[in-house]
Amino acid sequence: MTDFDITSREIDGMAPHGTKVGLLRVLGPAHVWALGVGIVLVGEYMGWNFAVGKGGAYAALIACWFAGLLYSCVAMIDSEVTSTVAAAGGQYTQAKHIVGPLMAFNVGLYLVFAYTMLEAANAITVGFLIDTVAVMSGHEGLDQRPFIVLAIMFLAWLNYRGVLATLTFSLVITAIAFSAIIILFLATSPVFGSNVLQHKALMTDLPYGWLGILAAMHFGLWYYLGIEGTTQAAEEVRSPARSLPFGTLAGIMTLLIAATLTWYVCVGLMPWEYLGQSGVPLFDAARMSGSTGLMVLLGIGTLFATLASANGCINDASRAWFAMGRDQYLPSWFGAVHPTYRTPYRSIIFLVPIALIFALGAPLDQVITFSILSGLLEYTFMPINVIMFRKKWPLDAIKRGYEHPFHPIPAIVLLCLCSVAYFAVFLGYGTQLVAMIAFYIIVSLWFHFWRYRFVRRAAQFTMPWPRPNGY
């Protein structure tokens, strides 16, 4: 066993003028929790309910459970590998060390596109929310575009100025948004409130049978999509071995609670035909409770959840792009660290216009689907990654911050559930799935035949591990 200290402060980026400056190690477990939950919680406020439209209320609940199992596997695998490969880039860096450069390049792109598309979707939602409030107050015809641009620019500026302020901001607004769900549940439940829920009257059998359950799985991913983003904080937390597993596992437990409460309240207040098409289901549920206070609270919660998600997406996409630039998988210009704020500022700035293009010019469902498909491809890589990791470096070979139990069962379950999710997505968005796989094949060829010649092959392996078994 090596004595490598994964809390080392000697991991550096590359700053302008040849100065060596690394990312700041200033984050704690609460920031990791805020990063993971902050990205995902917007899925409870909107998006998950399309699963109800695909298969009814019970299908959405089954999708919630299966997707919860899928992401629990993701969280356990991530917690073990990332607490050991503690560097920016998350799953990209894991693939680089464990699988190989071509897989790492693809995983890096999956991360960047998943988070950038999700950021664009969140910005679109901010514009929609403000327009909804304007209509409710009698001001119709509001132009949403200035609010979309303002949201992306403000959050990019916040990320540019420093990671501690960025994720502290996420921590506060995420906690408020999560508390709003708890308060809505308590206020409408028979235990503490007036019991306005009508499950017996509103719940129906499966309107589209078992095929509806399968179709619902596509949008069931929205309950948890993005929890794996906690890994992007690996190089900026004070103690990766403790903070990353704690923040990630606490995050998935928080989301399981939030998802269950959200489903329970919403299906008890709205018919499945309406709920399945709602743009802001939790806000609509608060309106139907008859309480003005709840309506205002859930409106604020919806806005905060959206901003927290976009904020975390900028953080995560920029770290993945930065890590690829630092290793010269992309031009090394992107691997710079700001000399004062200690952030990957060039990567943050570069991704802003891409997010704006998609937020202003692409339909919301297409943007969301691109994000989900990129995430699915990333999850499919993870079982392969952890099986190779355990085989090459068994438990007694290197220190781990966390060892996930029952290996390799979580990896096998994750692979099976990813297959189900692929089929579910194919049912509704088969053309987009084929187009996206074709896109990744083309960029893989570009990397293999052109870009890889610029990679410093020996310098990219930064973990002082012993030789893997079999070499």
Side-chain angles (χ1 to χ4, degrees):
M1 178 186 294
T2 69
D3 293 325
F4 173 58
D5 179 10
I6 60 176
T7 64
S8 169
R9 297 173 179 270
E10 301 302 322
I11 303 172
D12 283 329
M14 185 189 71
H17 315 299
T19 306
K20 279 285 189 180
V21 180
L23 302 176
L24 273 179
R25 287 188 178 277
V26 292
L27 304 177
H31 296 104
V32 177
W33 176 89
L35 180 61
V37 177
I39 290 178
V40 185
L41 200 62
V42 69
E44 264 68 285
Y45 277 86
M46 61 197 68
W48 71 270
N49 56 301
F50 296 137
V52 178
K54 291 288 184 182
Y58 284 116
L61 180 62
I62 295 171
C64 172
W65 288 340
F66 276 98
L69 182 59
L70 185 156
Y71 280 92
S72 296
C73 295
V74 167
M76 287 195 296
I77 292 171
D78 255 349
S79 293
E80 173 171 330
V81 184
T82 308
S83 67
T84 310
V85 188
Q91 292 83 1
Y92 152 76
T93 307
Q94 298 171 20
K96 182 184 71 176
H97 283 89
I98 299 169
V99 184
L102 185 59
M103 175 64 84
F105 175 76
N106 276 280
V107 170
L109 288 186
Y110 302 157
L111 291 167
V112 172
F113 278 107
Y115 292 124
T116 304
M117 295 302 104
L118 194 53
E119 175 194 345
N122 285 314
I124 294 171
T125 306
V126 168
F128 171 76
L129 283 172
I130 293 175
D131 184 44
T132 302
V133 173
V135 170
M136 291 174 65
S137 59
H139 299 85
E140 296 189 6
L142 186 74
D143 188 354
Q144 300 179 17
R145 289 173 296 181
F147 299 99
I148 293 173
V149 174
L150 184 62
I152 291 177
M153 297 296 290
F154 168 71
L155 295 174
W157 171 81
L158 195 62
N159 275 271
Y160 181 96
R161 290 297 300 268
V163 69
L164 182 60
T166 299
L167 293 189
T168 301
F169 173 72
S170 273
L171 177 61
V172 172
I173 61 177
T174 301
I176 293 173
F178 177 67
S179 300
I181 297 176
I182 300 290
I183 292 171
L184 177 65
F185 167 73
L186 294 177
T188 56
S189 71
V191 179
F192 299 100
S194 57
N195 191 21
V196 295
L197 304 178
Q198 304 176 50
H199 289 100
K200 286 186 178 178
L202 296 175
M203 295 289 286
T204 60
D205 293 333
L206 298 170
Y208 304 120
W210 289 98
L211 190 62
I213 296 176
L214 193 56
M217 189 68 183
H218 176 190
F219 292 102
L221 300 178
W222 265 76
Y223 285 113
Y224 316 97
L225 179 67
I227 183 63
E228 72 280 1
T230 55
T231 60
Q232 299 299 328
E235 198 165 318
E236 295 164 276
V237 292
R238 291 188 294 270
S239 175
R242 182 176 67 92
S243 299
L244 289 169
F246 183 85
T248 304
L249 296 175
I252 189 65
M253 286 189 278
T254 303
L255 294 171
L256 288 167
I257 293 170
T260 305
L261 296 185
T262 297
W263 177 89
Y264 181 78
V265 172
C266 289
V267 302
L269 286 170
M270 288 176 275
W272 75 271
E273 297 92 338
Y274 175 80
L275 177 59
Q277 301 178 19
S278 172
V280 281
L282 271 174
F283 180 63
D284 287 342
R287 292 171 64 187
M288 299 188 75
S289 72
S291 167
T292 304
L294 282 177
M295 185 181 72
V296 173
L297 179 62
L298 269 296
I300 294 172
T302 305
L303 181 62
F304 280 5
T306 307
L307 290 175
S309 181
N311 195 37
C313 287
I314 294 173
N315 179 92
D316 285 357
S318 63
R319 267 60 180 179
W321 199 258
F322 157 78
M324 294 172 75
R326 187 169 59 179
D327 294 332
Q328 298 192 17
Y329 282 53
L330 298 172
S332 58
W333 186 82
F334 293 112
V337 175
H338 195 286
T340 303
Y341 304 125
R342 311 285 292 273
T343 55
Y345 66 109
R346 289 177 181 167
S347 296
I348 293 171
I349 295 172
F350 176 77
L351 294 174
V352 166
I354 298 174
L356 284 173
I357 289 170
F358 281 94
L360 295 173
L364 179 60
D365 64 329
Q366 299 294 329
V367 172
I368 291 172
T369 299
F370 201 162
S371 177
I372 289 176
L373 289 174
S374 296
L376 261 181
L377 287 171
E378 177 198 336
Y379 307 147
T380 308
F381 131 84
M382 293 178 68
I384 302 169
N385 187 54
V386 74
I387 288 172
M388 291 182 68
F389 182 54
R390 285 283 185 107
K391 185 176 180 182
K392 289 183 175 180
W393 293 280
L395 293 180
D396 60 349
I398 55 176
K399 286 184 177 179
R400 288 162 163 83
Y402 168 80
E403 297 171 6
H404 80 73
F406 309 120
H407 178 79
I409 294 176
I412 295 170
V413 171
L414 176 56
L415 200 57
C416 294
L417 290 175
C418 282
S419 303
V420 174
Y422 276 120
F423 186 68
V425 173
F426 183 77
L427 289 177
Y429 295 87
T431 304
Q432 290 89 338
L433 178 61
V434 173
M436 197 189 65
I437 290 175
F439 166 76
Y440 283 119
I441 290 174
I442 292 171
V443 295
S444 295
L445 292 172
W446 171 81
F447 176 77
H448 178 76
F449 289 108
W450 172 254
R451 185 65 215 176
Y452 188 56
R453 71 184 67 179
F454 300 103
V455 175
R456 290 177 297 178
R457 302 178 189 181
Q460 65 176 321
F461 298 102
T462 54
M463 305 306 295
W465 293 343
R467 286 182 178 275
N469 283 354
Y471 287 84

